Each structure stands twice: as C-alpha cells, then as structure tokens.
Amino acid sequence: MTQLSKNPHRRGIVLMLLSIVFFTVNTLAIRGLVDLYPAISGWHAVIYRGVAGLAVVWSVYGFGRGYRFRVLFQKPLLFWRGILGGVGTGLFYITVIELGAGRATFLTLTYPIFAALMAHFFLKERLTSRRLTSRRLTWIVISFVGLGVFFLEKGLSQEVWFYDAVGILVAVMSAGVVVLIRKLHQTEHGSTIYGSQAFYGLIFAIPVSGSSTMELPLTATLLLIVAGFVVAWGQLTMTFAYRHLDVSTGSSLQMLLPVATALGSCLLFGERFGMMEIIGATITLGATWKINRETSNHSKTMTKIKPKKP
C-alpha cells in the first residue's frame, strides 16, 4: 500500500482492474439470475443498481464525508453525468436484447476512441505530444481491432439494422460519461460523481419497468440487490481510478471487461469461443499492456526531470 500511495498512476491501475472484477462478477450474476428468473429484465438490474449505489454512497460517504446529494440538482455537469449514465445503461440493455450480448458489447466498446477524441478537445489531453504520444493512440486503435476480431464471428452472423446505430450512440454516451468523470474530479468527490448516475439511473428506470418490478419473486429481488451492491463498488472504484489516470489509459483498461466476462461465461455457463475470438482477446490484452507500460515509463521519466532554477 505504501508503494501505491507514492505512485498515483499505479494506484489508478489497481483501482481500475478492481472495478473490472466487480463489473465482471455483476454481469455474470445477472446472466445467471435471468436463467433462474426469466421475468428479470435489464431495467430491473438498473433499478436495484441505483438503489444499492445510493445506499453505498450514503453509508460510506454521507454525513459530511464527501457525498453531497444537493449538488446533484445544482451543477449541470453532475446532471449530465447522471442522465448520460442512466439513459446509456438502459439503451445498452436494449441493444443486448435486440442484437445479442456479443454484438452489443462490441459496438459499445468502441467508446475509448470517442473518449480519447473528446478528451483532446474538452480536457486538452493531447494525443500527439511528448507527454501523450501518438503511439498510445495507435495502441488504443489496435486494442479496438482486437475487440472487433473477438466479436467478429457473432457480430457478422446477424443483420445490420437500426439497433446498431443505437449501439454506437451508447458508445458515444459512454465516452461522454468518462470525460465528465475526469472533469468533475477537479471539483467533486468521487462518491458524488457516482451518486449522480445511481440517482438519475433509478429515476429513469422506474417508469420504464412499470409495475413488473413489484411482481418479481422475493428471492430474485434480494439477489438483484446483492448484484447491485457489487456493481456499486465497481462503479466507485472506477470513478476514483480516473482521479489518477487520463481518459485514454483508463478507458483502454476497461476494454479488458468483455474479455473477462467472456472467460467467466465459458467457465460458469459452458459458452465456447473459437480461435478468432481467442486471437482477438490476445490482441486486446497485449495492446492494453503496452499502453500502460508506456504511460508508466513516461511517468517515471517525468519524475526524474528536475525543473531548472530561474
């Protein structure tokens, strides 16, 4: 822990990888719950995700410890972070239902490219400079290609239609959320940033799900709440990770999520993957490792450079 406290970049990587573990566990849990209780929909997951998220931020960061509920209605950036996160989550589940998890995830995971471009224009994180070289953008593109190869077989087996455009829209919205998180860390606590998504996602999902939420079995409801707490901690660790990582590095690490989820599905649900999918996963893992290696080496180099005395 001492080394992590002295190296913010390494701390950010650890937090981001931990968030991937939480997100993977949540996704696999929802996958299993739908098999047990077919009445469960994506909107139910969003509702209990919001309930659990608000409970976590209130209990851990409430009462003057960082979380400020009132500012959710006072600051436009928090409002848009919540709206984009909540609506984007709902639209993502729609694409999963209409396109299948493979194609939907592939479309959504194009967001690192949009995030890097948005960070360039809105956060002034330059893509080509001594601090952020063009090689990092190249590795982001390569990792995106790896994901394309990973989902190629399943993606090409279905027709291209309206919901593909919805998937791209989700990717753009996800990129906007990542950039907003990075910007909001300048003034807001991480719990408040995440609390905005938990609150506005809940507000968005309740009317969409209607009365079906009350008709779920008690056991299904309790298990959804547990899954919600898991993803709440994943969201918090991801939010705090962006305090120490720039957008391109953080979003590239998140590209490990579909690979981890696919491996978990293989082990738990007997899903099998072909050689092309294994090759795509390898490309993504290798490119992500290269991005973080270059960033880590750059950070070490910058700490050794002492400013000249005037």
Side-chain angles (χ1 to χ4, degrees), residues 131-147:
R131 299 189 64 182
L132 294 173
T133 67
S134 59
R135 286 181 299 180
R136 292 181 61 199
L137 180 59
T138 300
W139 285 113
I140 290 175
V141 174
I142 292 174
S143 62
F144 166 75
V145 172
L147 281 176

Side-chain angles (χ1 to χ4, degrees), residues 238-300:
M238 184 192 73
T239 299
F240 282 113
Y242 276 114
R243 178 182 294 176
H244 311 292
L245 300 176
D246 57 67
V247 168
S248 56
T249 301
S251 58
S252 296
L253 274 172
Q254 280 293 313
M255 295 176 77
L256 293 173
L257 178 60
V259 178
T261 304
L263 292 175
S265 297
C266 179
L267 294 174
L268 296 177
F269 305 111
E271 297 182 12
R272 294 292 178 261
F273 302 95
M275 182 57 65
M276 292 296 292
E277 292 166 314
I278 295 174
I279 292 173
T282 303
I283 293 173
T284 300
L285 287 169
T288 303
W289 176 76
K290 284 291 294 183
I291 291 168
N292 287 283
R293 183 181 179 185
E294 288 190 7
T295 303
S296 179
N297 291 338
H298 171 75
S299 299
K300 292 177 181 178

